[in-house]
Amino acid sequence: MTVGFIMMCHTALDRAAQVARFMAEAGCPVVIHVDKRVRHRSYDKLVAALSDIDTISFSERFACDWGTWSLVAATQAASEQMLARNKAVRHVFLASGACLPLRPLPELIAYLDARPTTDFIESVTTADVGWTIGGLDVERFTLRFPFSWRKQRMAFDFYVRLQRRFRFKRRIPEGLDPHLGSQWWCLTRQTLSAILEDPKRRAYDRYFRRVWIPDESYFQTLARIYSTQIESRSLTLSKFDYQGKPHTFYDDHLQLLRRSDCFMARKIWPKADRLYRAFLSPSSEQAARAEPNPGKIDRLFAKAAERRVRGRAGLYMQSRYPVQDHENGKTCARYSVFHGFSDLFENFDIWLSKAIGGRVHGHIFDPERVEFSGGEKIYNGALTDSAALRDYNPKSFLTNLIWNTRGEHQCFQFGPRDNQDCNWFMATDPNAQISVVSGTWAIPLMRQNSNFSEIRREAARLQKIEKEHLDILGTMYVKARVRVWTMAEFIENPMEPLQAIIDEIRPRATRRLTEAPRMVDLTGFGQFLQNLKNQGMQPTVMGDFANVGEPQPADRDRGRPYIVR
């Protein structure tokens, strides 16, 4: 006994001819259905190419549309021809023109000979199925679908809504328990002939003509009536993406397909020459393999689907730009933002670079230019120091900086004088570590040689900007690691917060800080704040400088580093 193949073809007929010849040379009869829309010239060329093989025949042609009855009708006609012309066939294997045998056909014949009464067809109830992506479950059997989902989408959707509105429901023929499954099956002669010769076939056909995607339910439902032993699985490896579209296999999937141990696979790219050469080689060149087990490669497909849907964390590109707040991570790695530190400490970026053993940027959102580490003009990923290019899309600039420096912790300075467009972005980014010393923007103003009225206006502007930033960092939507100190709090004991920040940046480090960065000269800062108050501007973000006009406690060590003894 042997197995007969039905091939449903509509494109890449040269590849279909190659596979059909391979099957026929292994002693398997083949019936080929070619879509009626295929040009006569191409069809005649296929017939001529296979005319030298008696066991290959062509069935009546139907114009087939996805999800319509035409596919079932074409399969019925080809099946009737297969059973009538090939008495030695015990199993009928339905395949497409894009299918490719993955194992020698004698192995498939032996496998089926050992299971002479087993039907291999995926057949599950609508209650158990979970792969009808973007489709209908029970309703595909209780509503009418006279319109093509692909070609008449508006009419299709309107008619579905109309039937739902009037609560229309079709009566399922008595004795039918609707099942769903893959279109690609392998049925025994007994089961297939019973389906085709059933006295109720006309009633069943009339009902399934208006079922949505009947090629995935007609044989799957009727097989449950006539089969004595069903294995609810397909012998054809067919994988689908998150949208329900079949995966296409290419040359670089060769080892993956071999690992599956399946007998057949679809959908093969027509130009995958390496796959066709490897799997259509003589049987002696292919090693025997174990029981088909597509589950062995499911993990890889699951990872591929996740990568396609979610993307790589922190990677944005023209072809897949995620919806805001639905990203797979706003950035790809952790980074640290130091707000106000560069105004309070001299050469803070140099000190921090030594403390963490890495590069530290200045104000990368400075209005004049991007202050890259070391004064670089071009940085990783061809990022330039142009403020105009950066401000075209500051969020993309930041994400690109983090992405292009993967493996290196990025640190940069920030303040109210900088571009503030990324405030919300950084605050809601779990990768961000934001440390704020508020009010330090007043230190450069204290030294500014300008009219005090101008200084007062600038102080009011900067304080307003900083308050808005602090308000953002205080909302319930913040996901960043945030630390905020007023300037007065911080200068009382700067070593403790600095040590906490450094420990978070380099958690494995055992060496503790012994030296703080050099603090700027704060002589007269208290009086400067009082002058602002006297002029009608109320500085509030600096904290409580109790002895206004007197040196602060931290000023005793002004001009030299703090030493921990």
Side-chain angles (χ1 to χ4, degrees):
M1 304 299 286
T2 187
V3 56
F5 288 91
I6 296 174
M7 294 183 64
M8 307 288 288
C9 306
H10 70 281
T11 186
L13 300 185
D14 56 333
R15 288 300 190 188
Q18 188 178 356
V19 174
R21 181 175 292 276
F22 177 80
M23 294 172 173
E25 291 175 349
C28 300
V30 182
V31 175
I32 300 176
H33 172 270
V34 180
D35 195 301
K36 198 171 184 177
R37 293 189 179 91
V38 174
R39 294 182 178 180
H40 290 291
R41 181 184 300 177
S42 300
Y43 176 73
D44 294 340
K45 184 179 179 181
L46 175 65
V47 173
L50 298 174
S51 59
D52 60 315
I53 305 179
D54 296 335
T55 54
I56 296 180
S57 59
F58 294 83
S59 65
E60 179 186 357
R61 298 175 67 186
F62 292 79
C64 296
D65 286 321
W66 181 88
T68 64
W69 172 256
S70 56
L71 288 169
V72 178
T75 304
Q76 289 176 330
S79 298
E80 290 172 342
Q81 183 171 316
M82 172 65 72
L83 296 178
R85 296 189 180 185
N86 302 281
K87 302 299 182 182
V89 167
R90 182 159 57 193
H91 279 86
V92 177
F93 199 116
L94 181 62
S96 77
C99 285
L100 181 65
L102 301 184
R103 296 170 63 170
L105 290 183
E107 288 189 21
L108 173 61
I109 295 172
Y111 184 85
L112 296 176
D113 283 345
R115 300 158 179 82
T117 61
T118 302
D119 295 290
F120 296 90
I121 181 169
E122 188 178 33
S123 176
V124 296
T125 63
T126 56
D128 297 327
V129 71
W131 41 257
T132 51
I133 300 172
L136 306 167
D137 294 330
V138 177
E139 284 184 321
R140 68 174 62 198
F141 298 106
T142 59
L143 301 181
R144 293 172 59 86
F145 300 93
F147 302 105
S148 171
W149 183 79
R150 285 189 172 176
K151 296 183 178 181
Q152 300 166 299
R153 185 63 179 271
M154 292 182 64
F156 181 97
D157 292 340
F158 173 78
Y159 198 58
V160 168
R161 290 194 299 268
L162 187 66
Q163 293 177 88
R164 288 172 175 171
R165 180 178 178 181
F166 290 99
R167 299 183 180 180
F168 172 81
K169 283 190 177 182
R170 299 180 66 197
R171 184 180 64 84
I172 299 175
E174 185 178 355
L176 286 188
D177 183 14
H179 282 65
L180 297 170
S182 170
Q183 175 187 357
W184 314 109
W185 41 254
C186 179
L187 297 176
T188 62
R189 170 183 284 270
Q190 290 83 355
T191 299
L192 184 57
S193 61
I195 292 174
L196 298 175
E197 299 170 1
D198 190 291
K200 298 181 181 180
R201 175 179 165 180
R202 293 185 64 182
Y204 292 154
D205 289 2
R206 186 167 54 250
Y207 167 74
F208 278 99
R209 281 178 186 274
R210 292 295 179 259
V211 167
W212 192 45
I213 318 182
D215 54 297
E216 294 183 354
S217 59
Y218 180 83
F219 292 98
Q220 293 76 5
T221 298
L222 297 181
R224 288 290 176 178
I225 300 177
Y226 306 110
S227 178
T228 58
Q229 184 176 353
I230 285 183
E231 283 204 21
S232 184
R233 62 187 175 98
S234 174
L235 296 180
T236 300
L237 174 64
S238 183
K239 294 296 182 181
F240 297 86
D241 62 15
Y242 74 103
Q243 293 177 321
K245 297 179 180 179
H247 280 286
T248 299
F249 294 102
Y250 300 93
D251 281 338
D252 52 357
H253 291 118
L254 175 60
Q255 298 305 323
L256 183 74
L257 293 174
R258 281 177 171 164
R259 197 186 313 169
S260 72
D261 289 323
C262 291
F263 289 108
M264 193 78 67
R266 78 171 304 268
K267 180 177 184 178
I268 308 297
W269 186 44
K271 296 184 180 180
D273 296 332
R274 185 183 179 196
L275 294 184
Y276 281 95
R277 283 197 306 268
F279 291 113
L280 298 184
S281 62
S283 303
S284 59
E285 297 181 14
Q286 298 190 36
R289 278 163 279 175
E291 177 79 13
N293 184 13
K296 291 192 294 185
I297 63 175
D298 283 347
R299 179 176 58 86
L300 298 177
F301 278 92
K303 282 188 175 181
E306 182 181 9
R307 174 64 58 84
R308 180 179 178 185
V309 175
R310 302 190 67 197
R312 299 183 185 182
L315 177 61
Y316 300 76
M317 59 184 68
Q318 178 272 335
S319 58
R320 73 166 311 279
Y321 202 92
V323 179
Q324 183 176 350
D325 297 327
H326 288 77
E327 310 95 342
N328 176 24
K330 292 177 177 289
T331 53
C332 69
R334 297 172 68 86
Y335 60 97
S336 299
V337 183
F338 292 86
H339 179 121
F341 286 77
S342 59
D343 289 331
L344 183 60
F345 297 107
E346 296 178 358
N347 300 320
F348 179 74
D349 52 344
I350 298 176
W351 175 87
L352 181 61
S353 178
K354 294 179 180 178
I356 65 174
R359 293 185 292 182
V360 177
H361 304 290
H363 289 258
I364 64 172
F365 291 108
D366 184 88
E368 300 298 327
R369 61 178 292 270
V370 181
E371 297 179 356
F372 287 126
S373 173
E376 297 285 346
K377 293 184 177 296
I378 304 293
Y379 210 67
N380 297 41
L383 295 176
T384 76
D385 66 347
S386 169
L389 290 176
R390 177 204 64 203
D391 292 344
Y392 179 77
N393 193 332
K395 296 177 184 177
S396 292
F397 170 82
L398 178 59
T399 55
N400 284 336
L401 175 63
I402 304 303
W403 175 264
N404 293 325
T405 55
R406 299 185 300 281
E408 179 182 358
H409 191 102
Q410 297 300 300
C411 301
F412 59 88
Q413 317 302 314
F414 194 69
R417 295 181 181 85
D418 296 334
N419 185 312
Q420 303 291 307
D421 288 347
C422 284
N423 287 2
W424 270 109
F425 183 86
M426 294 187 295
T428 55
D429 184 6
N431 282 327
Q433 175 196 23
I434 304 176
S435 303
V436 180
V437 179
S438 63
T440 61
W441 47 263
I443 298 175
L445 289 180
M446 179 181 66
R447 301 171 179 172
Q448 185 172 316
N449 184 24
S450 301
N451 295 335
F452 201 81
S453 59
E454 296 176 2
I455 294 175
R456 184 195 61 196
R457 285 194 297 269
E458 180 66 5
R461 186 184 73 86
L462 295 177
Q463 180 166 262
K464 181 182 178 181
I465 294 174
E466 186 167 79
K467 279 186 174 181
E468 291 174 353
H469 188 205
L470 294 175
D471 289 341
I472 291 173
L473 297 179
T475 63
M476 60 182 292
Y477 305 105
V478 172
K479 296 182 180 179
R481 174 72 171 91
V482 178
R483 296 184 178 90
V484 179
W485 302 270
T486 64
M487 181 178 167
E489 293 172 342
F490 191 86
I491 63 177
E492 288 181 358
N493 181 20
M495 285 303 295
E496 184 176 340
L498 285 173
Q499 183 68 60
I501 295 170
I502 299 302
D503 288 344
E504 188 168 331
I505 295 176
R506 48 169 203 176
R508 297 185 184 89
T510 57
R511 177 173 169 266
R512 296 187 63 80
L513 294 177
T514 58
E515 182 177 301
R518 184 183 298 273
M519 188 177 293
V520 298
D521 187 355
L522 293 177
T523 302
F525 185 70
Q527 184 60 52
F528 173 72
L529 296 182
Q530 184 60 45
N531 292 341
L532 288 176
K533 294 179 182 178
N534 295 340
Q535 292 292 326
M537 188 270 172
Q538 185 68 23
T540 58
V541 293
M542 295 81 176
D544 182 21
F545 281 82
N547 301 316
V548 178
E550 298 295 330
Q552 302 301 310
D555 291 343
R556 292 192 300 268
D557 295 316
R558 184 192 316 114
R560 64 177 185 272
Y562 288 88
I563 306 296
V564 177
R565 302 188 185 280

